[in-house]
Amino acid sequence: MSINRRDFINGSAIAILAGLSPLEILGKESCQSNYPPKLTGLRGSHIGSFENAHALVSGEKFEIDTLQSEEYYDLVVVGAGISGLTAAYYYLKKNSKAKILILDNHDDFGGHAKRNEFKQNKNFILGYGGTESFQSPKHYFQKELNTFLLELGINIDNLGKKFDQEFYKNLGLDFSIFFDKETFGEDKFVLGDPLGSADVTKNSESIADIIANFPLNEKEKISLLNLLTIKKDYLPDLKTVDEKVEYLKKTSYRDFLLKNVKLSEKIVNIFQQKSHDYLAIGIDGINSYLDARSLSLPGLDGMNLPPLDPDTQAEVDEPYIYHFPDGGATIARLLVTKLLPKVFLQKSDMNSIIQTKLNYSYLDLPNSQVRIRLNSTVVIAKNENNNTVSLGYLEKPILDPQGKFIKHGKLHKISAKHSIMAGYNMMIPFIVPELPSIQKEVLLSNVKAPLIYTNVLLSNWRSFQKLKTHCIYNPALNYALIKLDFPVNIGHYSHPKNPDKPILLHMVSIPKNNKLGADARTQFKASRFKLYSTPFSELEHEIRTELQRILGPTGEFEHEKDILEITINRWPHGYSYSFNPLFDDESKVEELISLAKKPCKNITIANCDSGWNALTHVAIAEAIRAVNELNFS
């Protein structure tokens, strides 16, 4: 089936209405709901959320010295993600009467913990548009964090039991791979994925039987089978384990496969996007010692390497089952219930809040002790001589009907005793210009990885049933991972069980760039530019084309009727940067991390960027630290 380019607005295919631009139509549809989780189309870093910040980075100055301060707070938090909300929560523990304002440039709170809601007839389906799950809580979570979660109403042991680990297996659905014609000579779907990433289960067929179906010649099939089944020392010229470790740390997994294992480029290309979901970069940008082993990629278990460090081993061993249907958004919503109890009409815990609607009109009421002000971009924060902090923020920008910038929103000045920067660390040097130059330099080096989390509401999932799969890995297409939603049943929310009924499809894409083999920061910047410059219509066209290509041959899928809604969660600034020995000096890591988050008088720094780690528990821990660094005397 050929797919023609059309205009797609708010996740649904439409014809352009006479006299109305796409943005005007989008505005009309959006006005039908002032409830951000229900909005489809382009979400994440949405239009109107980034223009003010980009102006600041481009050198535009926003002076507030001549403005009168409009409001005074004990604490102003910049960023309403999980870290910012946690900072406000812990600040109240220190000062229960504190007045707090939380500012965020997006139209919803939660940061990357984005909730996507879908309603089709009587079917209510939730998706996550960013923060996915708790990683290895049995290992990582210490007493303070577990106590914090219990205060919110989250019991980790009970949460793990909500995930039906046998659901897809009992339906006979497995992992799979789709090979594209442009890269591998033919479009071919293969059931089973023996390539070694941590999530992959073993198909009932043998590895040899699966590889026999790969679009490779016989010699390549034998080479790949040997890599997967035979333990071998691929570094025989390096005599000591230490020499091997140092070599692997400085060698990308792609180069290891090409130069040391001596696989053909065609075989290596099968592995290229195996690291996209977890590390937001291809195997040319991950090191062979830690990164590749953390993904259980093959070829590294025949060299007597030291065991993985406890953190990494836990990430490999502990099941990835601590998941809410809306991902980390449940954590953010529970935090908001603690900060602003009136936002939810009932007392909430992790079971009851899943289907509870939030009253956004209560987020920023004048008499509230805590206020959350959305669509507000902080552009300046400075310590004053009177031991206070002055901040300036812009209302959302004015855009023309095509979505192009016309002018900034109104500039406001507010004051506070304390302020916590809980947004992207690379923005802080522009917001807090008084920081030392060396600290700014380190903060700017935290170049976040771009990614797209797309949720597609399907009318049914018979095509997946026919293919006998629930998760498809694509080595070369735009979307490296296409998977049916996690089977989680919690409270009154039930995961779809009937293949004839609607289900949510979760798709992961790392924007392609032409920087193969370049350092991670260079690749991230190139991908970010591409992501910001790609229109929604093109992104949706990619989704429809790839799904039709993979699922269409089953005879059970036609994109025009089976795709009901699409939400593209675009994150040009996605995962926090993590130090990588391929590109970074390991000996300086701890020093740089400490320097980047050093307090600046009454301004401290939170967010998972401060831990140079994208995991949720890091965002929480950094918020607690940022509060404790403030002077409450």
Side-chain angles (χ1 to χ4, degrees), residues 596-609:
K597 59 189 175 187
K598 187 177 179 181
C600 180
K601 298 181 182 177
N602 288 320
I603 301 173
T604 60
I605 299 173
N607 194 279
C608 57
D609 287 2

Side-chain angles (χ1 to χ4, degrees), residues 319-346:
Y320 196 62
I321 58 173
Y322 302 94
H323 177 80
F324 294 107
D326 59 359
T330 287
I331 307 165
R333 284 158 60 86
L334 286 170
L335 275 163
V336 170
T337 67
K338 295 295 184 180
L339 298 171
L340 295 112
K342 292 183 180 180
V343 167
F344 291 94
L345 299 179
Q346 61 191 57

Side-chain angles (χ1 to χ4, degrees), residues 126-340:
L126 286 171
Y128 55 98
T131 309
E132 190 173 67
S133 305
F134 286 121
Q135 177 71 59
S136 312
K138 297 293 187 181
H139 170 77
Y140 280 123
F141 292 9
Q142 303 301 316
K143 182 178 180 180
E144 183 176 25
L145 181 52
N146 280 312
T147 299
F148 163 69
L149 293 175
L150 286 172
E151 289 173 2
L152 296 185
I154 298 173
N155 183 297
I156 288 296
D157 290 329
N158 289 342
L159 179 61
K161 295 174 184 177
K162 309 296 184 182
F163 192 113
D164 187 349
Q165 298 183 64
E166 303 299 317
F167 178 75
Y168 289 122
K169 182 179 179 181
N170 290 338
L171 291 176
L173 306 186
D174 203 349
F175 291 84
S176 58
I177 305 175
F178 180 81
F179 297 91
D180 66 287
K181 181 178 181 179
E182 296 83 352
T183 309
F184 301 101
E186 62 177 306
D187 278 1
K188 190 167 188 179
F189 174 87
V190 175
L191 185 62
D193 181 353
L195 299 181
S197 67
D199 272 351
V200 170
T201 58
K202 300 303 179 186
N203 189 273
S204 57
E205 292 185 86
S206 70
I207 293 177
D209 290 336
I210 299 171
I211 292 176
N213 293 315
F214 282 19
L216 303 170
N217 63 41
E218 290 306 312
K219 181 179 179 181
E220 289 171 328
K221 290 177 182 178
I222 292 171
S223 296
L224 180 56
L225 183 61
N226 288 341
L227 172 69
L228 295 172
T229 59
I230 298 174
K231 290 184 178 182
K232 180 180 177 179
D233 184 353
Y234 290 104
L235 301 175
D237 295 335
L238 300 179
K239 301 304 180 184
T240 69
V241 171
D242 287 346
E243 288 178 311
K244 296 180 194 294
V245 168
E246 288 307 308
Y247 177 83
L248 293 171
K249 284 182 176 180
K250 295 296 183 180
T251 303
S252 73
Y253 187 63
R254 185 177 181 88
D255 283 347
F256 172 74
L257 294 179
L258 287 169
K259 299 175 181 179
N260 302 109
V261 183
K262 302 187 184 305
L263 297 178
S264 70
E265 189 160 343
K266 190 175 183 180
I267 298 176
V268 174
N269 285 338
I270 298 175
F271 290 92
Q272 177 60 27
Q273 298 190 161
K274 266 294 175 182
S275 49
H276 272 200
D277 187 27
Y278 287 96
L279 300 172
I281 196 169
I283 61 169
D284 59 302
I286 68 171
N287 70 78
S288 299
Y289 179 65
L290 183 60
D291 293 339
R293 294 170 74 203
S294 72
L295 296 174
S296 302
L297 293 172
L300 299 161
D301 54 359
M303 292 180 272
N304 295 314
L305 297 174
L308 291 169
D309 64 87
D311 289 354
T312 305
Q313 191 62 54
E315 291 179 13
V316 173
D317 293 340
E318 196 167 336
Y320 196 62
I321 58 173
Y322 302 94
H323 177 80
F324 294 107
D326 59 359
T330 287
I331 307 165
R333 284 158 60 86
L334 286 170
L335 275 163
V336 170
T337 67
K338 295 295 184 180
L339 298 171
L340 295 112

Side-chain angles (χ1 to χ4, degrees), residues 432-449:
V432 190
E434 68 191 85
L435 289 174
S437 296
I438 183 62
Q439 185 175 6
K440 290 181 181 179
E441 183 180 338
V442 180
L443 286 165
L444 287 170
S445 70
N446 194 319
V447 179
K448 295 167 80 69

Side-chain angles (χ1 to χ4, degrees), residues 10-182:
N10 239 21
S12 301
I14 64 169
I16 292 295
L17 302 179
L20 290 181
S21 70
L23 192 65
E24 287 172 324
I25 299 169
L26 178 59
K28 288 178 181 296
E29 293 194 358
S30 298
C31 286
Q32 295 175 7
S33 173
N34 292 319
Y35 193 62
K38 286 187 176 181
L39 297 177
T40 56
L42 188 60
R43 300 295 294 149
S45 183
H46 56 80
I47 293 172
S49 68
F50 56 84
E51 293 84 356
N52 289 330
H54 285 187
L56 179 64
V57 172
S58 297
E60 192 164 345
K61 303 297 181 183
F62 300 94
E63 299 296 340
I64 59 174
D65 289 345
T66 60
L67 297 179
Q68 191 73 25
S69 184
E70 301 170 22
E71 301 169 278
Y72 181 85
Y73 294 90
D74 293 288
L75 172 68
V76 171
V77 180
V78 180
I82 288 176
S83 196
L85 295 171
T86 300
Y89 179 80
Y90 270 86
Y91 194 94
L92 286 174
K93 284 178 173 282
K94 296 272 190 177
N95 180 0
S96 61
K97 297 182 179 180
K99 287 184 61 180
I100 299 175
L101 175 65
I102 306 170
L103 296 164
D104 198 279
N105 56 308
H106 297 95
D107 61 10
D108 202 355
F109 62 84
H112 289 134
K114 191 70 64 181
R115 177 179 169 104
N116 295 161
E117 293 185 10
F118 301 87
K119 186 75 177 291
Q120 183 65 25
N121 297 324
K122 295 182 179 180
N123 299 290
F124 175 71
I125 298 178
L126 286 171
Y128 55 98
T131 309
E132 190 173 67
S133 305
F134 286 121
Q135 177 71 59
S136 312
K138 297 293 187 181
H139 170 77
Y140 280 123
F141 292 9
Q142 303 301 316
K143 182 178 180 180
E144 183 176 25
L145 181 52
N146 280 312
T147 299
F148 163 69
L149 293 175
L150 286 172
E151 289 173 2
L152 296 185
I154 298 173
N155 183 297
I156 288 296
D157 290 329
N158 289 342
L159 179 61
K161 295 174 184 177
K162 309 296 184 182
F163 192 113
D164 187 349
Q165 298 183 64
E166 303 299 317
F167 178 75
Y168 289 122
K169 182 179 179 181
N170 290 338
L171 291 176
L173 306 186
D174 203 349
F175 291 84
S176 58
I177 305 175
F178 180 81
F179 297 91
D180 66 287
K181 181 178 181 179
E182 296 83 352

Side-chain angles (χ1 to χ4, degrees), residues 566-585:
I566 295 177
T567 300
I568 299 175
N569 296 280
R570 174 183 69 173
W571 299 113
H573 301 272
Y575 293 162
S576 298
Y577 186 87
S578 294
F579 284 101
N580 186 331
L582 275 180
F583 318 116
D584 303 306
D585 185 345

